[in-house]
Amino acid sequence: MDIAISQEQATVPVTVFHIKGDIDVTSYQQLQAQAQQAIDAGTRYLLLDLSQVGYISSAGLRAVHLIFNLLRTDSPDESARAVSWGLRDGTFKSPHLKLLNPSPGVRQVLTTTGFDMFLEIHDNLEEAVASF
Amino acid sequence: MKADCALRISAKLENLSEVRRFVWETALSLGVDSVTLQDMLLAVDEAVTNIIMHGYRGREGHIDVEVGHTAGALVVRLRDEAAPFDPTRVSPPDLTLPLEQRAVGGMGIYLIRQVVDEVSHCITTQGGNELTLVKKGTIRGY
């Protein structure tokens, strides 16, 4: 798996991870580590471009969930209680982490596991960046 | 089950992608659609990961992967020679725990049950494990 990183500017600065390859038990730690590095360097808004990801396993989902939590803030809108209620009502989506253009197979995994309930999935880079 | 193709791999995580490619290509040749196939691929990946990490635990060994069909269902059978372990008897994970606090692979069995229709386990005559995953109604014409 390779990750190319680009920076986009909309209302806020958005870091884009262009991921190429499968995200499975052999590669999820690399994704976690690079996300941690970016966050340590100041990234607060992260878009994962999945257009070149052929496959994601539960290890990859675990990495995505970890990144979601790393980017969560202490604001009342993102408290555990607010997220829990928002998930139940279908009103919560992460303002910090979003996904771009997953393949039908990857999208299906995200849907099956409920990740689409708290992460926005976009089909267009410009729209995705502008949505932050 | 009519076995259509078989693959033997060393029980190493770097071979996971080869298993996925093998299941993908064999099932596609049987006429399984790619979206349905993604479910089986996820189940196989999780099951093989569990065998390597929790069955063999770093020891040398191999895993036999067999892809076939019966009555319109796609069937994948995994055989290993690790210590006997029946994943179908594992309790569902505590879904209230954050994902990052669960062991890697801990979600595997839960996910397998979510994406395929049947999961069964038996002990082989050599004392290893045989895990069978079934996805029904996936092959037309049977």
Side-chain angles (χ1 to χ4, degrees):
Chain A
M1 185 188 73
D2 293 311
I3 302 175
I5 301 174
S6 66
Q7 297 291 336
E8 304 282 341
Q9 183 65 45
T11 310
V12 294
V14 178
T15 303
V16 186
F17 276 18
H18 305 275
I19 305 169
K20 186 174 183 180
D22 295 346
I23 312 175
D24 66 4
V25 73
T26 66
S27 59
Y28 78 100
Q29 287 173 316
Q30 181 193 342
L31 173 58
Q32 285 181 187
Q34 289 196 239
Q36 182 69 66
Q37 279 176 18
I39 292 164
D40 290 346
T43 288
R44 294 293 173 266
Y45 299 93
L46 181 60
L47 177 65
L48 301 182
D49 175 2
L50 303 176
S51 54
Q52 296 186 82
V53 173
Y55 176 78
I56 187 167
S57 73
S58 68
L61 295 173
R62 181 176 180 273
V64 172
H65 194 262
L66 177 76
I67 296 165
F68 160 73
N69 273 333
L70 288 172
L71 287 164
R72 261 173 76 182
T73 65
D74 294 331
S75 78
D77 290 348
E78 294 182 78
S79 68
R81 184 181 172 82
V83 172
S84 176
W85 281 82
L87 284 174
R88 196 195 65 176
D89 297 341
T91 54
F92 176 82
K93 299 281 187 187
S94 172
H96 300 280
L97 178 66
K98 304 187 183 195
L99 309 178
L100 175 65
N101 208 14
S103 68
V106 171
R107 185 184 288 265
Q108 185 177 342
V109 173
L110 294 167
T111 304
T112 301
T113 52
F115 273 59
D116 61 333
M117 292 171 66
F118 61 96
L119 297 176
E120 286 180 16
I121 301 177
H122 292 266
D123 295 323
N124 176 281
L125 176 63
E126 288 73 26
E127 285 176 15
V129 170
S131 73
F132 280 93
Chain B
M1 175 188 87
K2 180 182 183 300
D4 292 280
C5 224
L7 171 77
R8 170 170 284 197
I9 59 153
S10 294
K12 297 181 188 304
L13 290 174
E14 60 259 35
N15 291 327
L16 271 171
S17 58
E18 185 183 349
V19 173
R20 290 200 296 269
R21 188 166 51 246
F22 167 72
V23 173
W24 178 266
E25 289 173 356
T26 308
L28 276 184
S29 73
L30 289 171
V32 179
D33 74 85
S34 59
V35 174
T36 303
L37 185 46
Q38 198 75 25
D39 283 340
M40 180 59 91
L41 221 54
L42 185 62
V44 170
D45 186 284
E46 301 299 339
V48 173
T49 300
N50 279 342
I51 292 169
I52 295 169
M53 295 183 71
H54 306 300
Y56 285 113
R57 295 172 184 263
R59 292 191 299 273
E60 292 284 321
H62 61 259
I63 301 169
D64 290 310
V65 185
E66 206 173 87
V67 179
H69 66 276
T70 181
L74 174 66
V75 181
V76 176
R77 196 160 280 157
L78 305 171
R79 291 192 194 88
D80 64 62
E81 294 177 348
F85 172 69
D86 182 355
T88 65
R89 289 175 167 240
V90 173
S91 302
D94 181 357
L95 294 175
T96 62
L97 276 179
L99 266 176
E100 69 279 7
Q101 290 180 18
R102 300 178 201 148
V104 177
M107 279 293 283
I109 292 156
Y110 170 74
L111 271 179
I112 291 169
R113 286 184 173 136
Q114 292 245 309
V115 296
V116 298
D117 298 304
E118 289 178 13
V119 185
S120 59
H121 172 269
C122 67
I123 305 292
T124 66
T125 50
Q126 291 80 30
N129 300 280
E130 180 179 287
L131 190 70
T132 304
L133 309 169
V134 179
K135 186 86 178 161
K136 293 179 178 173
T138 53
I139 300 174
R140 283 179 228 153
Y142 290 94

